[in-house]
Amino acid sequence: MFFIDTIEVAGLGNRSYLAGGERTAVAVDPPRDIDQVIAAAARRGVRISHVVETHVHNDYVTGGLELARLTGAAYLVPAGARVSYEHVPVHDGDRSEIDATAGLILRALATPGHTPHHTSYALEENGTAVAVFTGGSLLIGTVGRPDLVEPRLTEHLARAQHASAHRLATELPDDTAVLPTHGFGSFCSSGQAEGESTTIGKEKASNEALTRDVDTFVADLLAGLDDIPAYYTHMGPANAAGPAPVDLSPPAVADAEEIAARLAAGEWVVDLRNRVAFAEGHVVGSFNFEAEGQLATYLAWLIPWGKPVTLLAESAGQLAAAQRELVRVGIDRPAAAATGEPARWAREGEDLASFSQATFADLAGHSKDGVVVLDVRRASERSAGIIEGSVHIPIHALHRRVHEVPEGQVWVHCAGGMRAAIAASLLDAAGRDVVAVDDSFDSAERAGLTVDTL
């Protein structure tokens, strides 16, 4: 008998896995906050004997090195990866015994494409593959993007992705469970498909890497590549060097005077509350990144790398969860933090700032008033439709391009409201008169707005 436990890293759109038998187990692509992997092993009553990486990750800081150190596990890293710490280099075809009693073997399969050294691992029970950990190779309905390593390698790696997908489909039984690391909202995925689980057989019938010829597949893959989060630049080097252990202890407490001083110094003060509460009242100059949204992705994408960040949370629990998310992308320690209500975060005598929230129907009622409509979606999202006359600055570029927003009241929208709230907070902090459209873009045309197709 064997088990496979999934460890969700929802904020980043990733999954890690713990798989094994009655005594020992392997951890696959663990997140940096490894305590949850250790807890999963404890619940199963197994020892982690192996920790494996499918590749040097571009979208998060791995916990693999620290997990291997703490557990004494063998740390398996693809042989082609250039890393500076002690590890077991993995070559194509290498086999590692995971649990002898359960007959579990992990077999390495070279699957270049997401990176040149990418390796998948087939979990075999008594010689039969029951699952394959595909990392950023074969995903649910798609593949990992090939453009995160080096622009000159992108087409070559796209072709390698096609070949790697076909290798997995050819060598593994149709009922083999496909367990990718990326593809659940991660920007490491070249596309997003529906579904939470899949098999080799299902992918053979539906995945374009397996149903299209290589030239058509590569052309469509390259044409559909989206923006790359800026913080990815820092993840690969951090993982190659060997990440330090994390510190999730509570940060220093900031009072109103310190918050004001940090704002005056140009540091980022981030309010984690939901966007409705933030719009109703917040510290002047603070930014809104909802703790319940894609906090790590968008804060790490927007903030100048290395700039100190102070977190404002409604509770200690919200603060702790945010810290956990942020260490996954290399924002290791908040400079300071405060919890409670915004009135406690502003100095005595200072008013809180606020701005309006609205719907697309509200915008339709003001469309003839000369307001500025700012669209902060990515360029790829605009192909499905844009509001006539709207200005486009994607959210990840807005903090550098606020000066480009035309004069006048700014109505800012995205696809659903979360990014519009971030953008509205950036504009509000810059002194602009802003309205955040908290609505689904699907309702824009129904509200009476003219939606053009690019």
Side-chain angles (χ1 to χ4, degrees), residues 210-407:
L210 298 173
T211 61
R212 292 188 170 193
D213 66 88
V214 63
D215 290 332
T216 302
F217 167 77
V218 169
D220 288 346
L221 178 62
L222 298 184
L225 292 174
D226 212 336
D227 298 313
I228 301 173
Y231 74 92
Y232 278 24
T233 302
H234 307 280
M235 298 298 95
N239 287 324
V246 299
D247 179 2
L248 292 175
S249 62
V253 177
D255 59 16
E257 291 293 337
E258 182 176 353
I259 292 170
R262 291 189 176 278
L263 282 167
E267 297 181 11
W268 279 36
V269 174
V270 172
D271 190 325
L272 301 168
R273 295 174 301 140
N274 71 71
R275 54 187 182 260
V276 174
F278 181 88
E280 291 175 348
H282 53 270
V283 175
V284 176
S286 60
F287 303 142
N288 182 215
F289 290 79
E290 289 182 307
E292 292 77 18
Q294 289 178 283
L295 168 66
T297 295
Y298 282 102
L299 180 55
W301 196 341
L302 270 65
I303 191 171
W305 197 252
K307 183 175 282 292
V309 59
T310 295
L311 300 178
L312 307 179
E314 61 186 9
S315 67
Q318 186 181 67
L319 175 61
Q323 280 185 257
R324 181 177 291 273
E325 288 226 19
L326 293 179
V327 297
R328 294 170 180 162
V329 292
I331 302 177
D332 286 3
R333 291 290 294 167
T339 58
E341 297 293 329
R344 296 171 51 187
W345 305 333
R347 291 180 295 189
E348 187 174 353
E350 289 185 340
D351 293 332
L352 296 175
S354 64
F355 53 78
S356 298
Q357 289 188 302
T359 64
F360 282 109
D362 297 323
L363 175 57
H366 288 79
S367 59
K368 294 184 167 63
D369 296 345
V371 300
V372 177
V373 179
L374 177 64
D375 182 350
V376 296
R377 295 175 299 163
R378 297 184 302 279
S380 61
E381 297 175 271
R382 284 168 56 85
S383 61
I386 64 170
I387 294 175
E388 183 182 44
S390 61
V391 176
H392 178 230
I393 302 177
I395 183 62
H396 56 269
L398 182 60
H399 64 296
R400 302 187 306 271
R401 298 173 56 187
V402 169
H403 63 281
E404 297 180 23
V405 180
E407 293 299 318

Side-chain angles (χ1 to χ4, degrees), residues 128-197:
T128 300
V130 292
V132 58
F133 302 104
T134 56
S137 183
L138 186 65
L139 311 185
I140 299 177
T142 185
V143 295
R145 59 193 298 172
D147 60 330
L148 302 179
V149 177
E150 158 63 53
R152 291 173 295 183
L153 294 177
T154 298
E155 182 174 350
H156 168 75
L157 290 177
R159 292 181 178 277
Q161 278 290 52
H162 188 271
S164 291
H166 279 264
R167 179 187 184 187
L168 294 172
T170 300
E171 294 190 16
L172 299 174
D174 281 358
D175 59 356
T176 305
V178 176
L179 303 174
T181 300
H182 306 310
F184 310 96
S186 168
F187 279 88
C188 273
S189 173
S190 63
Q192 299 301 329
E194 298 294 327
E196 290 295 309
S197 63

Side-chain angles (χ1 to χ4, degrees), residues 16-235:
S16 297
Y17 302 93
L18 182 73
E22 293 184 0
R23 299 180 180 179
T24 49
V26 56
V28 181
D29 289 343
R32 197 175 183 198
D33 49 324
I34 58 173
D35 55 340
Q36 58 184 321
V37 183
I38 293 172
R43 286 192 295 270
R44 288 287 184 178
V46 296
R47 176 177 63 86
I48 297 175
S49 60
H50 294 76
V51 177
V52 304
E53 304 282 8
T54 56
H55 60 294
V56 174
H57 304 285
N58 289 294
D59 64 327
Y60 70 94
V61 181
T62 181
L65 181 62
E66 180 65 5
L67 182 60
R69 185 187 70 81
L70 286 178
T71 61
Y75 190 26
L76 278 58
V77 179
R82 297 179 179 178
V83 297
S84 59
Y85 44 80
E86 186 175 347
H87 64 284
V88 179
V90 178
H91 300 85
D92 184 44
D94 283 356
R95 304 168 72 86
S96 303
E97 185 177 78
I98 302 302
D99 190 297
T101 303
L104 293 179
I105 297 290
L106 201 66
R107 176 166 64 95
L109 295 156
T111 48
H114 188 49
T115 66
H117 59 266
H118 191 283
T119 300
S120 299
Y121 299 89
L123 182 68
E124 298 178 350
E125 182 186 37
N126 299 320
T128 300
V130 292
V132 58
F133 302 104
T134 56
S137 183
L138 186 65
L139 311 185
I140 299 177
T142 185
V143 295
R145 59 193 298 172
D147 60 330
L148 302 179
V149 177
E150 158 63 53
R152 291 173 295 183
L153 294 177
T154 298
E155 182 174 350
H156 168 75
L157 290 177
R159 292 181 178 277
Q161 278 290 52
H162 188 271
S164 291
H166 279 264
R167 179 187 184 187
L168 294 172
T170 300
E171 294 190 16
L172 299 174
D174 281 358
D175 59 356
T176 305
V178 176
L179 303 174
T181 300
H182 306 310
F184 310 96
S186 168
F187 279 88
C188 273
S189 173
S190 63
Q192 299 301 329
E194 298 294 327
E196 290 295 309
S197 63
T198 192
T199 63
I200 289 292
K202 290 178 181 178
E203 292 308 303
K204 285 166 74 171
S206 62
N207 195 306
E208 292 186 351
L210 298 173
T211 61
R212 292 188 170 193
D213 66 88
V214 63
D215 290 332
T216 302
F217 167 77
V218 169
D220 288 346
L221 178 62
L222 298 184
L225 292 174
D226 212 336
D227 298 313
I228 301 173
Y231 74 92
Y232 278 24
T233 302
H234 307 280
M235 298 298 95

